[in-house]
Amino acid sequence: MIKTPLCDLLNIEFPILQGGMAWISDAQLAAAVSNAGGLGIISSMNADENWLRSEIQKAKSLTDKPFGVNVMLMNPHVDKIAQVLIDEKVPVVTTGAGNPGKFMKLWIEAGIKVIPVVPSTGLARFSERAGATAVIAEGGESGGHVGEMSTMPLIPQVCDVVSIPVIAAGGIGDGRGIAAALMLGAVGVQLGTRFLVAHETNIHENYKDKIIKAKDIDTTLSGRSLGHPVRSLKTTFSKDFIKAESDPTTPPEVLEEYGRGALRIAAQEGDSQKGCFMAGQIAGMIKEKQSVKEIILTLADETETVLKGGLQWVK
Amino acid sequence: MVLEKVVEILRNYKDEQDLEVTMASTFEELELDSLDTVELVMEIEEAFDTSIEMDGELQTIGDVVTLIEKAIA
Ligand SMILES: Cc1cc2nc3c(=O)[nH]c(=O)nc-3n(C[C@H](O)[C@H](O)[C@H](O)COP(=O)(O)O)c2cc1C
């Protein structure tokens, strides 16, 4: 059994979180992860409060275990979303793309555990000071919007500056990765890419097939010039985007417009001409579509084996 | 005096002792991204032993100075 303080803190069996993924992690996936003993997280992306309320209620009908909601702070409906989380007594909220300061107090007073995703030690310290329950330190190996730091140097440095629990994310795909994260000082992990291929993940089959086919070198970064780089699989879309981006005459608005909705197209239509298939560098290691339960039990087993095996080097 | 101290912190942060900084300098002009801004504002807060709201509205050094002045008044 792998047990860390995060299990008690979040009331979960395994210290494994399924990261919020826009257009992808819905009630079905989140509930499956929570039922399997991890913490499932619904992504509220740019959705409005009505969509989120019904998704939360759906998750509650599918699991009696705790689950979380990922809030994108740039969401125009964020004020109403923040209130729905309180009304529905969602146990855990993770935040990305912005500063949760404004809602922190409200959520914490309502008993919600707030876990910001941070790309640097500065934001980790800032989050702790604002009352965060824990932080997810995410390295740029991950899929989706990424920071500059890699997981390996980020995790121990974040662990050194905060006293709240640190959850590692970015580039973790099996028990070796989880064991390594724990050795770096994290007490839990968040995975995104590995869950893309779960049977319960409601995305176009092309997306899952592309992840299975991907090699280590098959992801790329686009959107650097816009200030928010995105890691995705190399496809016609990503190549065209990077070409447009490197042409100084392309106005940023055109790029923003081009990128908008591209993840939705990938997830729902599986179209590699127009879709942006966000995925992390660990995609190359994912070779099998499995149920969420198989994924979580395999991860937990592997972690245990790897951690026990580590002692062989201690003479 | 707040400005002077902030300028000193900024110069140390960037390790450029003759960096030109005025109230109107923006973080962007100073080549500080949002992560640098968080880091810097925390250093500034610690130097003045106070804290200010960081709600994404901070654009210029003047914004920070004004908030610090209010906080320690
Ligand atoms: C397709 C995709 C979409 C994502 N969308 C979001 C999002 O909307 N909000 C967020 O905070 N993180 C998002 N992430 C990041 C994940 O929550 C998670 O932290 C990350 O995938 C972990 O790294 P890994 O992909 O290497 O496992 C996304 C990741 C992927 C792969």
Side-chain angles (χ1 to χ4, degrees), chain A residues 171-188:
Chain A
I172 301 171
D174 66 5
R176 292 173 297 183
I178 299 179
L182 297 178
M183 291 299 95
L184 293 174
V187 290

Side-chain angles (χ1 to χ4, degrees), chain A residues 17-25 41 43-46 70-72 94-97 117 136-146 151 168-173 190-196 203 207 211 231-232 263 267 276-283 286:
Chain A
L17 281 61
Q18 158 259 310
M21 294 182 276
W23 294 107
I24 294 169
S25 60
I41 298 177
S43 162
S44 63
M45 44 186 183
N46 272 326
N70 177 249
V71 177
M72 216 183 65
T94 64
T95 62
V117 177
I136 299 166
E138 189 193 65
E141 298 93 324
S142 68
H145 290 267
V146 299
T151 304
I172 301 171
Q190 168 165 296
L191 279 60
T193 303
R194 173 90 193 240
F195 286 108
L196 286 173
I203 54 175
Y207 203 143
I211 299 289
R231 184 175 300 286
S232 66
L263 174 60
C276 177
F277 295 75
M278 293 184 188
Q281 290 179 330
I282 205 69
I286 299 170

Side-chain angles (χ1 to χ4, degrees), chain A residues 42-91:
Chain A
I42 297 171
S43 162
S44 63
M45 44 186 183
N46 272 326
D48 67 16
E49 65 280 10
N50 297 324
W51 180 88
L52 180 62
R53 190 177 296 110
S54 81
E55 213 56 28
I56 292 171
Q57 289 169 353
K58 188 172 166 200
K60 284 181 182 167
S61 74
L62 296 171
T63 183
D64 53 8
K65 303 263 173 62
F67 59 87
V69 170
N70 177 249
V71 177
M72 216 183 65
L73 294 151
M74 314 270 250
N75 182 342
H77 310 283
V78 68
D79 291 308
K80 290 194 175 126
I81 294 269
Q83 190 56 41
V84 168
L85 299 169
I86 296 173
D87 297 343
E88 292 292 332
K89 301 191 166 50
V90 171

Side-chain angles (χ1 to χ4, degrees), chain A residues 120-122 125, chain B residues 13 35-44:
Chain A
S120 69
T121 58
R125 283 170 60 211
Chain B
Y13 185 86
L35 296 187
D36 289 315
T37 308
V38 169
E39 199 75 49
L40 253 169
V41 170
M42 280 194 306
E43 274 189 31
I44 294 169

Side-chain angles (χ1 to χ4, degrees), chain A residues 289-304:
Chain A
K289 296 178 194 170
Q290 289 171 300
S291 71
V292 161
K293 195 168 173 190
E294 282 173 301
I295 293 176
I296 294 210
L297 291 180
T298 311
L299 290 172
D301 261 5
E302 288 170 353
T303 308
E304 204 174 314

Side-chain angles (χ1 to χ4, degrees), chain A residues 36 39 56 67 90 92 105 134-135 138 170 174 179 196 200 217 220 222 238 250-252 254 256 262 302 307:
Chain A
L39 186 82
I56 292 171
F67 59 87
V90 171
V92 179
K105 238 178 148 175
V135 287
E138 189 193 65
D174 66 5
L196 286 173
E200 292 88 339
I217 54 170
T220 185
S222 55
S238 71
T250 314
V254 171
E256 291 276 5
E302 288 170 353
L307 284 176

